[in-house]
Amino acid sequence: MYHTTGIVPFIHLFMMHDLTHALSNVSFLGVRPHSFTIVSVDRVLHCLADSEEDMSAWINALQPYGEGEDEGAGRAAIEKGWLIKETASGKLRTKRFFVLTESGLDYYRSPDTSVPPAGQISLNNLCTVISPDEVIARESGHWMFTLNTRRRFYRLTAKSNSDEMRWVQAIQEVIDNKPPIITPTEKLVDDFRQAGPGEIEAIYRVNPILSYTANHLKASLLALPYGEVMSHKAKSRGYGTYQEEALRIFNSLQDEESLGNPIPVIQGILQTCCDLPGLRDEVYCQLIKQTASPPELDSIAILRNWQVLACMTSSFLPSRKYLRYLRFHLQRSRDRYPGSEMVKFANFCSEAIKRTRPRDFPPSKDEIIACLGRRELTAVVYCFGGGTCKISITSATTAGEVVHKLSLGIGVQGSKNCFALFEQCGDVYKAMEDRVVIADVLAKFERYEAHGINEGGKRWRLFFKLFCFLDTKNVSPDSLEAGFMFEQAYNDVLQGRFPATTQTLVRLAALRIQYEVGDYRSGASIPDIETVYPLKKKMVKDEDLPHIDKGFTLKGTLRGLGRNTLKKLKQSQDENPAHKGIDSAEIQAVKVAVSDQWKKLQGMPREVAQQQYMDVLRSWDGYGSTLFDVEYKQDSRYPHELWLGVNARNVSLYKRGDMQPLASFPYEHILSFGAPVPNLYKLVVEGNEQLSFETQKVLEIAKLMKAYINAIVKDRRAQTSR
């Protein structure tokens, strides 16, 4: 018996150049723990290792010198080594020696692969291998990966991250090299491409799997990957395997044929297709099957399936192969059933697939109802001043298309300033990119409402307003654009986004009342002072009020409420957050001061009041800037609470409420900007100066800066081409 304490002295038992011919077998005898035997032409060596791992390492090192590898049944080993196999219940963990070949994965009780394996795992191209969550694996020290096969799943644990990665990659390569499994439906879909006009109906007659059935399916129509869906979204919703979900959807289709209200079922199917993109082709094939060769023309059951197909084509597209199959099915339906309701649905679906865009949410209830009736969806767009506009949209209409339509309608399509659509709720405004699908936003609003994600009970809605202020001077006072600028400026004042003294704010409040109401009349009062004066943004001192005169200056500070503003907005609607923390005597003092100023505007036309209001705002050098609340914690150069002002010329830092910037950075000096981590906005300017700000508005800031930079580049190109 030899004790294997080192490779060099042991190898000297044989001449290296004779090893290939000398070793005929290396195997595990089982006489003692960790022992193995080397059988050569003229001698037999019994060896004892220090541990099972050492024994495995020795056998792996010496095996290549034998008379060829005899892994499995004469198959070449792609990967081999020890793994821990966990039972399906997770209660028992056993250590096994695994050998991966092109045929599959075999496991043994020892490294001796000349004996029959303890088990075999067959692999095909539908098997999936899932790596562990790296964070969890590092914390636990268990590098467990999952192998999903047709009959069951296997949890296998490697001793290290590198071993786990090597095994996962090797198994995945074997799976990828397996020939594809083709179901009868897939084969028939391929046959349609080569079939002539006379052969198509013959294929349908002899293959009932292509046509409507009242029976349940026993298996999916397409070959679907094995195992549970591993995405975080799918796990959180409790989905099973693709096969289980496919059969569940088909059962739902059959159930909704007889329901009085099919909308909840349709919503569930569309939600599943949104969460599991890999299931969309299967659902399309099911819907094509259930709308093909109906036993009764225009029956309720058949039309219900057509309605689901209308919703699907308006929401998600299948892959290219099944998109061709869908088009073929729609054309066949039009040819076979002219004048029927089915043809109307086929026409609707054909138009829908021409324009369907990628989406993040399944359709809202209103959109589903519109699709069931084969009509467009109505959306309401709001703007400052209480204006609204109803527009008709399809499931694919984008924000850019709506902005273009509205701009044409109000005559601002030639303006240098840029308008945009926003998601709005209370004081929250989120700009939409032009490519965003409006129906997707409405579906998101529906979810917000269902989960109570709003501010102060207010509803989410589409909002149309100015996004980029590229030209604030050359706007006709009589134009609708000037009206938009006025209403938006008024809203900024109420939200504390305009730095001004108390005197200036009182003056602005009086001008706004003169614009809305007209001249002061004896006994007139101001019941809702917060609609013209930013009470919740400015704590007014009594001693400031009696000394107001006709003149006004733009100096001093106006401090916002910062984080507390959001808390105030989320109070119940019965409580007025604007008055909280303000003494009633102070509110009355503000009303008196505004009334006194209003009296002095006697005889001023509303157009003049509007113009003077705007003159006050334009007198601030930062007018046109969008101000974002940010927090600076990098060092002591700037105050902790800041405004980040973004305009057409530069990005500026303001102490909240101050008129003069602490620093300004022209776009030419900004090297990069963005959010390296959530809620942290970073600017890199010339000189390698890096500024970081904490804010929840990182996306809004980045979108606005990008829009201004694009406008600058576009303008310079236009100047160069002249």
Side-chain angles (χ1 to χ4, degrees):
M1 176 71 72
Y2 292 90
H3 192 273
T4 57
T5 58
I7 186 67
V8 175
F10 180 76
I11 284 298
H12 283 171
L13 292 170
F14 297 97
M15 294 298 293
M16 288 296 294
H17 65 276
D18 291 330
L19 278 174
T20 303
H21 304 286
L23 303 184
S24 59
N25 191 19
V26 182
S27 63
F28 174 79
L29 277 183
V31 177
R32 295 186 184 181
H34 315 147
S35 63
F36 59 96
T37 300
I38 300 176
V39 181
S40 70
V41 175
D42 55 1
R43 63 195 297 189
V44 176
L45 298 177
H46 300 286
C47 306
L48 180 63
D50 291 331
S51 65
E52 194 171 354
E53 286 78 8
D54 285 348
M55 179 188 71
S56 176
W58 275 105
I59 293 176
N60 290 340
L62 294 170
Q63 195 72 51
Y65 296 103
E67 295 180 346
E69 299 192 6
D70 189 30
E71 312 296 348
R75 299 164 297 180
I78 298 172
E79 190 67 53
K80 57 184 176 179
W82 291 99
L83 294 172
I84 296 176
K85 182 174 74 72
E86 186 177 289
T87 59
S89 63
K91 296 181 179 179
L92 182 63
R93 291 161 58 88
T94 55
K95 191 173 184 179
R96 294 290 182 259
F97 189 82
F98 281 79
V99 178
L100 177 66
T101 67
E102 292 181 357
S103 299
L105 192 60
D106 299 340
Y107 54 92
Y108 303 80
R109 291 186 174 85
S110 75
D112 182 7
T113 57
S114 63
V115 299
Q120 294 179 309
I121 303 174
S122 298
L123 300 177
N124 60 42
N125 79 311
L126 299 181
C127 294
T128 57
V129 56
I130 311 298
S131 296
D133 184 289
E134 187 171 350
V135 176
I136 297 176
R138 289 192 182 279
E139 291 177 352
S140 64
H142 300 301
W143 295 94
M144 179 188 293
F145 60 93
T146 304
L147 175 60
N148 296 302
T149 65
R150 178 173 176 269
R151 296 189 181 277
R152 57 164 293 188
F153 65 88
Y154 297 85
R155 293 194 180 101
L156 307 173
T157 303
K159 64 181 180 180
S160 66
N161 185 17
S162 58
D163 281 356
E164 173 264 320
M165 293 177 64
R166 189 176 69 251
W167 273 105
V168 169
Q169 182 177 359
I171 294 173
Q172 188 63 59
E173 287 180 357
V174 171
I175 293 172
D176 292 341
N177 290 328
K178 291 289 183 179
I181 293 177
I182 300 176
T183 65
T185 297
E186 291 176 275
K187 179 66 170 61
L188 292 170
V189 171
D190 291 334
D191 291 345
F192 280 134
R193 297 188 63 185
Q194 284 80 37
E199 300 173 306
I200 290 176
E201 295 308 318
I203 294 175
Y204 272 98
R205 283 195 300 272
V206 299
N207 293 282
I209 195 173
L210 294 171
S211 302
Y212 176 86
T213 180
N215 301 321
H216 293 317
L217 289 181
K218 295 183 178 180
S220 61
L221 299 178
L222 306 182
L224 299 174
Y226 302 142
E228 295 183 356
V229 186
M230 299 304 294
S231 69
H232 175 73
K233 181 185 293 186
K235 284 184 176 181
S236 65
R237 296 187 185 278
Y239 290 113
T241 65
Y242 278 107
Q243 188 71 217
E244 292 169 346
E245 295 305 324
L247 298 182
R248 190 174 291 127
I249 285 178
F250 192 81
N251 292 339
S252 297
L253 288 175
Q254 293 181 317
D255 291 342
E256 64 96 29
E257 292 176 1
S258 58
L259 291 177
N261 178 19
I263 293 178
V265 174
I266 296 175
Q267 285 180 312
I269 294 173
L270 296 175
Q271 181 67 65
T272 302
C273 290
C274 180
D275 295 339
L276 309 180
L279 208 57
R280 293 173 187 173
D281 286 348
E282 167 72 20
V283 176
Y284 265 108
C285 286
Q286 292 181 9
L287 288 168
I288 292 172
K289 170 183 172 64
Q290 293 300 92
T291 53
S293 305
E296 181 183 351
L297 194 66
D298 285 350
S299 66
I300 295 296
I302 295 299
L303 293 182
R304 282 286 169 78
N305 290 319
W306 273 105
Q307 288 177 331
V308 181
L309 187 58
C311 293
M312 279 290 292
T313 54
S314 299
S315 308
F316 318 106
L317 289 178
S319 62
R320 182 177 298 180
K321 174 181 177 179
Y322 295 100
L323 182 59
R324 287 195 298 265
Y325 181 39
L326 174 61
R327 289 193 177 109
F328 158 78
H329 169 66
L330 297 176
Q331 185 59 50
R332 177 176 179 267
S333 299
R334 286 193 291 265
D335 294 341
R336 285 176 60 86
Y337 314 111
S340 66
E341 284 293 308
M342 295 168 56
V343 171
K344 295 178 182 178
F345 276 106
N347 291 333
F348 179 86
C349 294
S350 296
E351 291 300 315
I353 60 178
K354 295 177 183 178
R355 56 179 181 251
T356 299
R357 303 173 186 269
R359 297 180 58 159
D360 296 324
F361 297 92
S364 64
K365 182 179 179 180
D366 288 342
E367 184 181 355
I368 291 174
I369 293 173
C371 290
L372 299 186
R374 304 188 302 271
R375 61 177 181 269
E376 292 186 332
L377 179 66
T378 299
V380 180
V381 180
Y382 294 81
C383 61
F384 289 121
T388 61
C389 178
K390 287 187 177 181
I391 56 172
S392 295
I393 61 172
T394 68
S395 296
T397 301
T398 64
E401 293 170 344
V402 172
V403 170
H404 179 70
K405 182 185 295 186
L406 293 175
S407 297
L408 286 175
I410 64 176
V412 297
Q413 68 274 17
S415 172
K416 292 184 178 180
N417 296 308
C418 177
F419 286 81
L421 270 186
F422 289 75
E423 301 174 26
Q424 183 261 333
C425 180
D427 295 337
V428 175
Y429 294 86
K430 298 181 180 180
M432 301 182 206
E433 296 184 11
D434 286 347
R435 59 183 176 81
V436 171
V437 177
I438 297 299
D440 218 21
V441 176
L442 297 178
K444 180 167 61 174
F445 288 174
E446 183 179 77
R447 294 187 170 220
Y448 285 169
E449 296 290 336
H451 292 87
I453 304 176
N454 52 41
E455 297 201 6
K458 297 179 181 178
R459 301 189 63 182
W460 286 89
R461 55 189 189 176
L462 302 175
F463 208 90
F464 180 72
K465 71 186 186 82
L466 281 157
F467 181 48
C468 295
F469 291 82
L470 300 171
D471 183 6
T472 60
K473 298 179 180 179
N474 300 312
V475 177
S476 173
D478 301 328
S479 65
L480 278 175
E481 184 177 6
F484 270 90
M485 295 180 74
F486 170 59
E487 293 294 342
Q488 198 157 328
Y490 159 65
N491 182 75
D492 289 341
V493 170
L494 290 186
Q495 297 306 317
R497 291 292 188 268
F498 177 68
T501 62
T502 301
Q503 293 92 333
T504 301
L505 293 175
V506 169
R507 170 75 175 182
L508 290 174
L511 288 169
R512 179 70 189 190
I513 296 174
Q514 183 70 18
Y515 171 81
E516 292 182 352
V517 179
D519 290 339
Y520 174 85
R521 293 182 181 180
S522 179
S525 62
I526 308 173
D528 298 321
I529 188 63
E530 68 272 11
T531 62
V532 293
Y533 188 93
L535 277 178
K536 60 185 176 182
K537 300 293 180 179
K538 173 70 176 180
M539 303 306 174
V540 184
K541 296 180 180 179
D542 289 336
E543 57 265 27
D544 290 338
L545 300 177
H547 309 292
I548 300 174
D549 54 26
K550 292 184 179 179
F552 55 90
T553 58
L554 292 176
K555 61 182 179 180
T557 62
L558 172 65
R559 296 187 179 275
L561 294 178
R563 293 179 179 177
N564 294 329
T565 302
L566 185 58
K567 296 180 182 178
K568 290 176 179 293
L569 289 171
K570 291 185 176 180
Q571 296 178 58
S572 66
Q573 290 177 295
D574 295 333
E575 181 181 355
N576 192 335
H579 292 173
K580 187 175 181 179
I582 304 178
D583 187 86
S584 59
E586 294 180 352
I587 297 175
Q588 186 60 33
V590 172
K591 290 183 178 181
V592 170
V594 173
S595 295
D596 290 343
Q597 188 69 11
W598 180 21
K599 295 174 184 177
K600 299 174 183 179
L601 303 179
Q602 194 79 11
M604 179 182 288
R606 68 193 310 264
E607 295 80 8
V608 176
Q610 174 181 328
Q611 187 61 44
Q612 288 197 13
Y613 196 101
M614 293 303 298
D615 288 343
V616 173
L617 273 74
R618 288 193 180 98
S619 63
W620 176 43
D621 288 339
Y623 175 69
S625 297
T626 302
L627 302 177
F628 299 94
D629 288 339
V630 300
E631 295 182 1
Y632 182 80
K633 299 180 180 179
Q634 190 171 327
D635 49 44
S636 59
R637 280 183 295 173
Y638 304 114
H640 176 67
E641 294 186 343
L642 295 171
W643 276 339
L644 185 72
V646 182
N647 61 35
R649 303 179 303 277
N650 52 47
V651 176
S652 301
L653 300 179
Y654 295 86
K655 182 180 178 181
R656 291 188 193 175
D658 282 1
M659 298 183 62
Q660 298 302 320
L662 300 171
S664 295
F665 308 100
Y667 290 110
E668 293 82 356
H669 297 167
I670 297 176
L671 303 180
S672 66
F673 59 90
V677 295
N679 298 330
L680 185 68
Y681 197 75
K682 188 174 183 179
L683 288 177
V684 179
V685 299
E686 283 187 355
N688 202 30
E689 182 179 6
Q690 300 184 13
L691 300 172
S692 298
F693 309 95
E694 292 185 11
T695 177
Q696 295 182 353
K697 301 290 186 180
V698 290
L699 288 178
E700 285 72 18
I701 298 172
K703 288 177 186 177
L704 189 55
M705 287 183 61
K706 181 181 177 182
Y708 278 127
I709 291 173
N710 288 341
I712 292 172
V713 172
K714 182 179 179 181
D715 184 61
R716 289 180 179 176
R717 285 178 178 173
Q719 293 178 2
T720 304
S721 61
R722 291 174 184 171

